[in-house]
Every structure is written in C-alpha cells, then in structure tokens.
Amino acid sequence: MKRITNLFDREHRGEILRFAVVGVAATLLQYGLYLLFIQLLHPAIANTLAYGLSFVFNYIASTRYTFRVKSTAQRGAGFVVAHATNYTLQTVLLTFFIHLGLPKSLALLPVFAVCVPVNFFLVRFFMKGKGLRGLLGRKGESHALSSQPVARRTLLGALADQLRLSRDERMPALIAAIVSTALNVLVIAKYASLFTVYMKGPWGPFLRNFHISGFDPFSYTIISHWSSFYHIGVRHPLLVVFFWPLSLFNRLLFYITGMNCVQFVYAVVLVAASVYAFIFLTRIFNKVLGVSRRESWLLGAYTFSFAYMMLTVCVPDHFCLSLCVLTFILWMAGRKGSSSPDGWSPWRTFWLVFLTAGLTLTNGAKAMMASLYVNGRRFWRPKHILIGLMLPIALNLLVTHLQYQFVGRPAEKARAERKARYEAWQRKNRHAEVTPKKKVKKRVSSKKGKALAKDGMLQWSDVSTPRMPAVVHNIFGEGLQLHADSLLQDVGQRRPVIVKYHTPIPYIAEALIVLLFLVGVWCGRRSRYLWLVLAWFVSDMVIHVGFGFALNEVYIMTAHWAFMLPIGTAYLLRTLAVQRKPVCVLHDIKMCGEYFTGCIKRH
C-alpha cells in the first residue's frame, strides 16, 4: 500500500507528467512514421521501423528529461529490455486487433492504451530501480544461482564476465556492430524478395538461388525448415540443435508478420558473433600479448579487413560462429596462461570441447590443444582424458547418430517417396512405361578434384588439385584479397579453381602480410602462447594443403585461421615497442648526481 501511495508524491507526480510529455511526443512520432511506412510495407514491419526510430528519441529524452539520470550501459541495457518487452506486446496486440477487423490505420490506438502504462513501470524500474543489477545480481548472476555454492556457478559466471564489455570496449564494439550490420543489410537486400517467402520443398528457395562464392545457405534452410541431413550431422553434430530455438522464433515471427524472417534472425546472430570475435581478438592483442590499446584496435580492424573475414560476417554459413568460438577459447587460454596453477577443470574442458566440436569437429581439436596449453601435464591425467576428451567426443557421435536416425533418415525417405510418386504419375499420364535410361558413367569434375575414397570422411579429400597455386591464389590470395575476375562466383558454377591477379600489386601485398607474420613468429618464438597459435595454424594447413579438404574453395574457410596472422604481427609490434622505448635523460642525470654526492659524503 505504501508503494502505491508513493506514486502520488511530488517527485513521482513530476516523473509521471514528464513521462507523459515524452511518451506523447514519442508516440506521435511513432504513429506518424507508422502511417507513412504503412503505405509501402506490411503493418508489422512498418511498426518495427517506426518503433526503432522513436526508440532513439525516447531513450535520450527519458534519461535527460523524464528521470534525470546519467546514461550508463546498465541503464541502456535495461531500457532496451523494457522496450523489447513493450515492442513484443505491441506487435502481438497489433496483429490481434487487425485480426478482429479494425482498420490498419486505427489498430495501433488501442495498442497504445494497453502498452503505455506497462512501459512506464518497466522503464522506471530499469532507470531508477535496481534494474538489471537487481535481476541478475551484483556481478550479472541470478539470485537463484547466487545462493548456490561457488563451484556450481563458476562456468556460467566466467562466461558472463567474458561477455561483459568494459567502458573502453563499448565504442569499438559499436563501430564493429555498425560495419557488420551494414554488410548484412547488403546480403539481405539482395535476396529479400526470394527468401522472405516460404516455398514448398525441404530445401526452400535457398540452395538454388543463393550464390556468394562457395558459401552454403544451410543455416537459412535449417532455421526455415528445421531438419538435418547426413553431411551436416557428421561434420557439425550440434549445429542443427543450436538452430532449433532460432527455428521456433522464426516460426513465431512468421505467424506475426506473415513472412519468413530467417534472414533477419540469423543476421542478429552474425552481428553478435562478429562483434564478440572482434572484442576477444583485441583483448588478446592488448591483455595477453601486451600491445597498446590503440594498436590492438588497429590490429582488430586489420584482421577484419581481409576479404573473406568480411564475407564471413554476413553470409548464412557457420564460419562466423566458429570464429567467435575460436577467438573466445584463445582468449580464455591466454588469460589463464601456460600451465596455470588452477588450470581448467575436467568439466570445463568437457564443455569447451563438447560445444566447439559440436559446432565444427576441427574446433574441438583446437579446444583440446588449448586445454593442453593451460593444464600442462595435468592434461594427461586419466580423469581429464576421460571427462574432458573422451566423453564429449562420444556424446557428439551419439547426437550425430540419433539426429540422423530420427530427423535425417525420415526426411530422406519422404523425399524418395515423393520422387517415386511423381515418376508413377508421369508413367500413368503417358499411358506407357518409361523406357529405362542407360546408365552413364558420371564424369568427375576437375573442379572437385580426385578424392581418396568415395564414402566417409575421405570423400572430402583432394589429391589432384595443385598445392602451390592453391596456396598462392586461394589460401593467401583470394582469402585475403578478392580477385577482379570471377568476383564472388561459386567454383561449383562458373568460377575456375585457380584465378590469377592481373597486376603484381596484390602479390606484393600478399607477400608483405605473410612476411609480417613470419617476422613476428621469429620475434615471439620463445612464447608458448604463440606455439599454441602456430599449432592451430599448422593443423589447418595440414587439413587443407596436406589432406586437401575443400582445397578447390579453401578461401571460404579463411575465418578458421586468418586471425592468427595478426597475432603473429602483434609480436613484431611488441618487440618494436620495447626497442623504441624512450630513455629519460633527466632521470639518468639525477641518478648520477645522487651517486657522486654520496661518494663525496663518504670521503
């Protein structure tokens, strides 16, 4: 009762009045933009754009005028949570009132009547109450977890700490998010007319229409028509599981908007993954390798200036997720240090290996190398081997088997049955049996290369593609600098396996990038952390150059190893910074004076 009466004291009456003024202004702005956008767009999309533009005005006015508090990251995050809740409620009610028969131009008015009071209490709670700190606890942990023993919340607490951005990281992260969003907008704009419509068939419109280099739109396919198929389950055991919540959310958006929002849903994931990959890299440069903060940001920008690093953050493949995971593991390993006294527990190694190998098998091997670096000899203890290595591998294999048996195989049978019914319908309409076609021996395309075997993991090997041209033109060529010829073309369509540059300038730039990396490796040759990075780099080169895995389009996997090149360069910058450290002449003169004064006094 006391809390209710407190709403009517002078301070709260002033807040309510100021909130009403700001709310009316923001509502009029949103409603005017809604009436403008609705002439061209779906009502839900028009409301989304109008809400987003009024949101910026609302936040500035709420902090500086309504509640008169300082704008902080915590209050900003709370404001976003409040308005995300309010926006969801608005979208659901708008769809409901339109379904009842209200005109589109008037359906937003009753929505405001319900949502504005709710929004006031939410915004005030996050602006002047405990907000996110009250919900998540002092260090971002929930009250339910805070009452538990420390050992039971260490992993979640450590993850929350690593995802929290410091004050000096917020502006670079914002710039990275803007750049990544702009790249995603370009891809969305190119394919939105095709991909926002659900089409019949298990693959949708994605596989036959999406062509950006050799990237596969399997993420769009899985999220839109949640299913699994063999080679995705073998190489990426948990990828389909990771996409299941996104698929449910995309279905919810479809019921609200009437369109397939898979591009927008996955773009949010790509932007978040790319921003945190950038942040983890800059932390490695600054806090692990000792490079200055400004040079760390420059090295991060240098990393994402590589051609297929930029493409990775905006295409519907899994490589951006792998990049985020790999940089996170490398940052965690560098933060712990070599053979750390406490190290990683067997269960922490289990989760890192299980989740990363579930995303991509090679990531799991790199997580094992990082665990060896952190734990040292303790890595070989039976408990660590059993829990940290064997158990996650066995679980991933089990998930792969179950996924194919209960999801992939039924889908394959359904496709085979549909094909058989279609062929039967053709024979029936022709009133004659279709003469069986002669078996023609399939010619192996020279673009795919000759594999070691036709089945299993060896089917992705390549023993015929020439290695040196592939290294020069594909790995360190196309991966870092795009070719003018066959720009962004797929090797499965028109692009040749080897494409050359027209001028020597790209080759000079390529040689300079590799030279900076090699010199940096020499400068940091005594660092065990660098040897961990080199172990990762060598493992990738063995897979691609030695084994020949995807060698004909190896540039699409640049995100798995390209970030290691600036890490080597960072060792060179650190060495140069030590050598050019200024000498304080005045300090030396003062020391000499004190020395001679002491000698005179003694004698």
Side-chain angles (χ1 to χ4, degrees):
M1 187 67 182
K2 185 177 179 181
R3 292 185 178 181
I4 297 176
T5 57
N6 285 341
L7 292 174
F8 299 98
D9 60 19
R10 178 176 296 179
E11 179 184 355
H12 290 87
R13 286 199 302 268
E15 285 182 356
I16 294 174
L17 180 61
R18 293 192 298 270
F19 178 83
V21 173
V22 173
V24 168
T27 302
L28 291 176
L29 177 62
Q30 178 186 350
Y31 190 60
L33 293 172
Y34 171 77
L35 293 178
L36 178 63
F37 294 149
I38 203 175
Q39 306 300 324
L40 302 173
L41 301 172
H42 187 277
I45 301 176
N47 183 49
T48 301
L49 293 177
Y51 194 97
L53 293 174
S54 67
F55 172 83
V56 178
F57 163 77
N58 203 340
Y59 177 69
I60 297 174
S62 296
T63 53
R64 296 186 179 183
Y65 177 70
T66 304
F67 300 103
R68 296 175 181 175
V69 293
K70 184 179 180 181
S71 177
T72 63
Q74 180 183 346
R75 290 193 177 104
F79 195 80
V80 171
V81 171
H83 275 271
T85 305
N86 185 50
Y87 166 74
T88 304
L89 183 60
Q90 278 195 18
T91 305
V92 173
L93 291 177
L94 177 64
T95 306
F96 173 71
F97 286 126
I98 291 177
H99 181 71
L100 290 180
L102 287 179
K104 292 189 291 184
S105 59
L106 300 177
L108 201 58
L109 296 179
V111 173
F112 289 147
V114 177
C115 294
V116 169
V118 174
N119 192 43
F120 170 75
F121 290 103
L122 288 173
V123 171
R124 190 183 185 282
F125 172 74
F126 285 109
M127 286 295 181
K128 302 199 72 173
K130 294 182 180 180
L132 288 178
R133 186 179 294 273
L135 288 176
L136 300 178
R138 186 176 180 184
K139 293 186 178 180
E141 299 160 354
S142 66
H143 293 304
L145 287 176
S146 61
S147 62
Q148 299 296 328
V150 175
R152 298 182 66 179
R153 55 184 174 91
T154 300
L155 185 61
L156 294 178
L159 180 60
D161 289 340
Q162 301 313 313
L163 295 180
R164 187 180 298 112
L165 300 178
S166 62
R167 180 171 298 178
D168 62 305
E169 291 175 338
R170 292 168 191 165
M171 183 55 67
L174 176 61
I175 296 173
I178 292 173
V179 174
S180 179
T181 302
L183 293 172
N184 278 275
V185 166
L186 294 176
V187 177
I188 291 173
K190 179 176 175 61
Y191 293 103
S193 60
L194 293 172
F195 293 171
T196 54
V197 180
Y198 270 105
M199 292 187 179
K200 295 182 179 180
W203 310 112
F206 309 113
L207 289 180
R208 65 175 177 269
N209 292 305
F210 183 86
H211 298 293
I212 297 181
S213 296
F215 293 105
D216 296 320
F218 289 135
S219 302
Y220 287 169
T221 301
I222 297 172
I223 295 174
S224 298
H225 310 273
W226 191 79
S227 61
S228 178
F229 34 96
Y230 178 72
H231 73 276
I232 284 290
V234 171
R235 290 186 290 166
H236 315 285
L238 296 179
L239 190 63
V240 176
V241 179
F242 291 157
F243 286 159
W244 183 65
L246 298 179
S247 179
L248 295 179
F249 183 63
N250 185 57
R251 282 287 179 180
L252 175 63
L253 293 178
F254 173 72
Y255 292 134
I256 295 175
T257 64
M259 56 185 287
N260 188 0
C261 299
V262 61
Q263 284 189 285
F264 306 100
V265 171
Y266 199 61
V268 174
V269 176
L270 291 175
V271 170
S274 60
V275 168
Y276 273 105
F278 175 78
I279 292 298
F280 294 144
L281 271 177
T282 53
R283 288 178 183 175
I284 292 171
F285 297 139
N286 180 234
K287 298 179 181 180
V288 177
L289 305 184
V291 178
S292 68
R293 187 176 300 167
R294 181 180 300 177
E295 291 177 340
S296 299
W297 303 131
L298 291 176
L299 284 171
Y302 168 63
T303 305
F304 282 87
S305 69
F306 297 153
Y308 274 73
M309 292 292 286
M310 286 193 291
L311 281 176
T312 296
V313 306
C314 61
V315 293
D317 217 319
H318 70 280
F319 296 109
C320 189
L321 305 181
S322 296
L323 174 64
C324 183
V325 168
L326 291 175
T327 51
F328 173 73
I329 292 176
L330 205 57
W331 156 241
M332 292 293 290
R335 184 170 173 267
K336 276 291 185 181
S338 174
S339 301
S340 175
D342 48 350
W344 287 347
S345 66
W347 284 108
R348 177 165 296 190
T349 302
F350 162 80
W351 284 112
L352 289 175
V353 174
F354 176 68
L355 296 177
T356 54
L359 188 59
T360 299
L361 289 178
T362 54
N363 289 353
K366 291 176 180 177
M368 295 178 190
M369 296 180 198
S371 179
L372 175 61
Y373 166 81
V374 172
N375 290 294
R377 294 181 179 178
R378 287 168 297 177
F379 175 85
W380 303 108
R381 292 177 179 176
K383 182 179 179 181
H384 197 96
I385 294 292
L386 180 63
I387 297 177
L389 303 183
M390 297 180 65
L391 183 59
I393 294 174
L395 286 179
N396 273 310
L397 293 175
L398 178 62
V399 169
T400 300
H401 175 73
L402 295 177
Q403 187 182 126
Y404 180 68
Q405 289 296 323
F406 294 100
V407 181
R409 179 170 289 180
E412 290 180 358
K413 289 183 178 179
R415 288 195 293 271
E417 290 175 358
R418 284 195 298 269
K419 184 178 179 181
R421 287 196 300 268
Y422 177 72
E423 292 177 351
W425 176 83
Q426 279 187 323
R427 287 193 295 268
K428 182 178 179 181
N429 287 347
R430 291 175 184 175
H431 303 286
E433 295 185 1
V434 179
T435 56
K437 296 182 179 179
K438 296 181 180 179
K439 292 184 178 180
V440 180
K441 186 177 181 182
K442 293 183 179 180
R443 296 180 60 185
V444 179
S445 174
S446 59
K447 293 183 179 181
K448 295 183 178 180
K450 184 179 179 180
L452 292 172
K454 296 182 179 180
D455 300 320
M457 296 295 291
L458 293 178
Q459 65 179 310
W460 292 300
S461 62
D462 186 348
V463 296
S464 61
T465 300
R467 265 37 179 184
M468 187 54 66
V471 170
V472 174
H473 297 100
N474 286 356
I475 295 181
F476 296 107
E478 178 78 358
L480 308 182
Q481 304 172 91
L482 294 175
H483 290 87
D485 294 340
S486 304
L487 182 64
L488 299 183
Q489 291 182 0
D490 191 346
V491 72
Q493 302 294 324
R494 293 176 295 173
R495 187 189 191 277
V497 175
I498 304 297
V499 180
K500 298 181 179 180
Y501 296 107
H502 293 295
T503 65
I505 295 177
Y507 294 105
I508 295 174
E510 177 184 337
L512 182 61
I513 293 172
V514 175
L515 181 62
L516 290 174
F517 170 68
L518 294 177
V519 174
V521 169
W522 176 258
C523 294
R525 61 190 182 278
R526 295 176 181 172
S527 170
R528 294 195 67 206
Y529 186 75
L530 179 60
W531 283 104
L532 170 63
V533 176
L534 289 178
W536 284 19
F537 182 79
V538 171
S539 66
D540 279 304
M541 294 301 106
V542 169
I543 290 173
H544 296 309
V545 181
F547 183 68
F549 176 73
L551 189 60
N552 57 340
E553 52 180 7
V554 68
Y555 35 81
I556 68 173
M557 302 184 185
T558 300
H560 282 171
W561 56 267
F563 62 90
M564 305 175 199
L565 301 180
I567 291 178
T569 307
Y571 280 93
L572 173 60
L573 293 179
R574 188 180 69 174
T575 303
L576 294 176
V578 172
Q579 292 179 354
R580 66 173 182 262
K581 186 176 182 181
V583 179
C584 184
V585 180
L586 294 177
H587 179 267
D588 293 343
I589 294 175
K590 181 180 178 181
M591 294 295 294
C592 292
E594 292 177 353
Y595 174 75
F596 285 113
T597 302
C599 292
I600 293 173
K601 288 180 179 180
R602 285 195 298 270
H603 292 286

